[in-house]
Amino acid sequence: LVFTNKSVRMALRHIRNTLVHVADIAVLVVLLLLFATVVCVIAFEGTPEGKRFFPTPMVALVMLWTCLTTANMPDIMLAPQTTSMVWTAPFVAFMFVGYFLLLSFVLASVYNAYRTQFKREIVVRHTARTDQMLLAFRVLRRVKVKVIGARGRRYRHRSVS
């Protein structure tokens, strides 16, 4: 059903081609998440906040992903901060690198990849349209066509040879 609509197929093709160019930045985001997960699991081991938010590396990874996407950031970041302001440093570093650097790079690379692909598609469509118009004019040159003018006079198209 999805592949029967031409615009949906084209949009899926755009997404696929754009994701290829974003893969390197996505790997950096994953590496940041993994590094921050290890730091948080080790740093908060044995604390009440560690037991609540970072009991296992998998839970810590999900919590940091949630924190990075700002879905539930205050719950995760502010609980350790109430204990000591020292615990704020890992979160501030994680947020700065994650938000202001990596996610900005993701947005920029998605935009640039899509823009490049869109320009390429416009050139291809324009070239195909121009080729079709030239082919149509070649056909019209071979055929003698009677055309009625604006005032009712008949003009005969002469082929240019």
Side-chain angles (χ1 to χ4, degrees):
L1 180 67
V2 170
F3 296 105
T4 58
N5 191 343
K6 184 178 179 180
S7 62
V8 172
R9 281 194 320 259
M10 194 175 346
L12 290 174
R13 191 176 330 118
H14 283 303
I15 291 170
R16 183 194 66 210
N17 293 339
T18 302
L19 287 178
V20 170
H21 297 287
V22 179
D24 53 347
I25 303 293
V27 168
L28 288 176
V29 172
V30 169
L31 288 175
L32 172 71
L33 283 170
L34 291 175
F35 177 74
T37 298
V38 170
V39 168
C40 287
V41 167
I42 292 171
F44 293 108
E45 187 177 16
T47 63
E49 293 82 14
K51 290 177 185 172
R52 181 175 171 199
F53 294 110
F54 308 115
T56 65
M58 195 61 182
V59 172
L61 182 67
V62 170
M63 289 294 182
L64 288 172
W65 174 254
T66 304
C67 194
L68 186 64
T69 58
T70 68
N72 200 10
M73 182 195 64
D75 289 346
I76 299 167
M77 185 174 149
L78 294 179
Q81 182 182 354
T82 58
T83 305
S84 174
M85 290 299 285
V86 174
W87 298 118
T88 307
F91 288 108
V92 169
F94 174 71
M95 293 299 171
F96 179 76
V97 172
Y99 285 147
F100 298 116
L101 295 179
L102 290 182
L103 291 183
S104 296
F105 288 151
V106 168
L107 179 64
S109 63
V110 165
Y111 174 74
N112 285 334
Y114 186 78
R115 185 181 67 177
T116 303
Q117 179 181 352
F118 188 69
K119 283 181 180 179
R120 190 178 319 130
E121 184 175 319
I122 287 174
V123 168
V124 167
R125 284 184 180 195
H126 179 71
T127 304
R129 190 168 119 190
T130 304
D131 291 346
Q132 291 296 320
M133 290 294 285
L134 290 174
L135 180 65
F137 280 118
R138 280 190 211 127
V139 169
L140 286 175
R141 281 189 196 135
R142 288 187 211 130
V143 178
K144 299 201 180 214
V145 179
K146 291 183 180 178
V147 179
I148 297 177
R151 294 190 178 136
R153 298 184 196 141
R154 292 185 179 232
Y155 296 99
R156 196 168 187 180
H157 176 72
R158 297 180 185 176
S159 62
V160 179
S161 299

